[in-house]
Amino acid sequence: RSMSNKKTAIQVIAGAARCPDYNPSMIRALMKKLETNEKAFALLMNVSPTTVRLWVTGAVRPCGVARRLMQIYESAPEVVSKITGQPADGERRI
């Protein structure tokens, strides 16, 4: 079997798995997109509000897992409504 023109699953995942290096302005923009303050974002990220404050001031960079979670929230904000049990924008509660 020739795999010269086919990517392996690992190669596909590795290419898709590039995670942005969330800097303070990107984190603030994500918080705005999700309509959260530092405390709410901390709850969503499962970290302390102090940690979020350190991220948005640039004193500390988010770890890889935190950046991946931010990437998920940014690319699929509806995930937040599933986690919180709140309807996403445009959804109606019945």
Side-chain angles (χ1 to χ4, degrees):
R1 296 186 305 201
S2 173
M3 291 214 147
S4 59
N5 61 352
K6 283 192 170 187
K7 288 186 175 184
T8 66
I10 292 293
Q11 290 170 320
V12 171
I13 292 167
R18 301 284 182 256
C19 193
D21 188 14
Y22 282 87
N23 61 41
S25 63
M26 292 171 75
I27 295 168
R28 285 190 298 271
L30 177 58
M31 289 170 55
K32 184 176 181 179
K33 179 179 184 174
L34 299 176
E35 299 178 357
T36 61
N37 58 23
E38 286 181 4
K39 186 174 181 180
F41 192 65
L43 288 168
L44 195 58
M45 294 295 296
N46 200 34
V47 298
S48 72
T50 301
T51 298
V52 173
R53 198 166 310 111
L54 292 170
W55 291 343
V56 298
T57 60
V60 173
R61 290 179 47 206
C63 71
V65 174
R67 290 194 314 268
R68 175 66 73 208
L69 195 51
M70 289 180 205
Q71 182 185 31
I72 292 167
Y73 291 151
E74 187 169 30
S75 62
E78 65 276 9
V79 169
V80 174
S81 66
K82 292 181 185 209
I83 292 169
T84 62
Q86 298 297 312
D89 287 346
E91 289 183 8
R92 286 184 189 254
R93 280 205 158 164
I94 300 174

